[in-house]
Amino acid sequence: MSIAENRTIMHRNVASKLYGFVPEEIGVALEDFRKILERSGVEPDGTLFFSMLSEPTADVMAAELFMGIKEDDPKFPEEEEVSFRSYFEVRDLVTIRILEDFDARSQTAYWELANYLDGNGLRQKTPVFVEYKNRPEGGTFVEMSVGAVS
């Protein structure tokens, strides 16, 4: 796993929702969110990422889940508490890429990012973002990023 600086997360038409769950049940939260979007008549575009709002070692993780959608003016029922951004961008990220076995390697990647910030005199300015990406040859990989400032 290598670390890169000055990365950006940038997407158009992103729906998001806050969740609390035990880390092993992130799939349940993602499925719930997907169903909310489906019931609201919007179609995901394949973009998927989340921000960890609690420490990764917490028993219950607070996170904001994000899904890109094809619609540019969605209407969500108020009780679902879904937010919409026509444009989402976070700059000045330090990023580590996890090519396989995400569940087993995510803790290690998190601590590598933390140590990198500390070792380079940087301080964290955003939550940790975890973005799922598609490989051109098929399959997925994960980029874990955090905003950093000197």
Side-chain angles (χ1 to χ4, degrees):
M1 292 185 281
S2 63
I3 294 177
E5 289 188 29
N6 298 315
R7 305 293 295 200
T8 300
I9 295 174
M10 189 177 348
H11 298 287
R12 288 189 33 82
N13 299 339
V14 177
S16 69
K17 182 171 173 65
L18 294 172
Y19 281 90
F21 50 85
V22 294
E24 299 80 33
E25 293 185 356
I26 188 171
V28 174
L30 289 167
E31 182 62 17
D32 177 70
F33 190 31
R34 188 193 61 72
K35 286 180 180 177
I36 289 170
L37 296 179
E38 185 179 283
R39 285 192 308 267
S40 299
V42 299
E43 185 179 350
D45 71 2
T47 302
L48 174 62
F49 61 103
F50 66 92
S51 62
M52 291 188 286
L53 304 174
S54 57
E55 289 296 319
T57 55
D59 291 337
V60 176
M61 184 165 68
E64 185 170 7
L65 304 184
F66 299 86
M67 283 192 192
I69 60 174
K70 293 183 178 178
E71 294 74 14
D72 59 6
D73 189 24
K75 303 292 185 241
F76 299 107
E78 191 173 317
E79 66 273 11
E80 297 292 2
E81 299 178 332
V82 173
S83 298
F84 174 74
R85 296 167 182 90
S86 60
Y87 193 73
F88 182 92
E89 180 178 37
V90 184
R91 295 177 185 218
D92 302 322
L93 298 169
V94 175
T95 301
I96 190 165
R97 185 173 285 174
I98 306 169
L99 298 175
E100 55 192 28
D101 202 12
F102 172 70
D103 291 337
R105 295 179 183 215
S106 61
Q107 285 286 336
T108 302
Y110 172 81
W111 291 112
E112 283 187 37
L113 279 175
N115 290 335
Y116 184 88
L117 294 178
D118 189 50
N120 288 281
L122 301 170
R123 94 182 136 75
Q124 184 174 336
K125 69 174 186 174
T126 70
V128 174
F129 287 91
V130 178
E131 188 173 16
Y132 296 88
K133 295 192 167 188
N134 294 318
R135 293 178 186 215
E137 66 276 6
T140 60
F141 65 93
V142 171
E143 287 186 345
M144 183 181 288
S145 305
V146 63
V149 65
S150 319

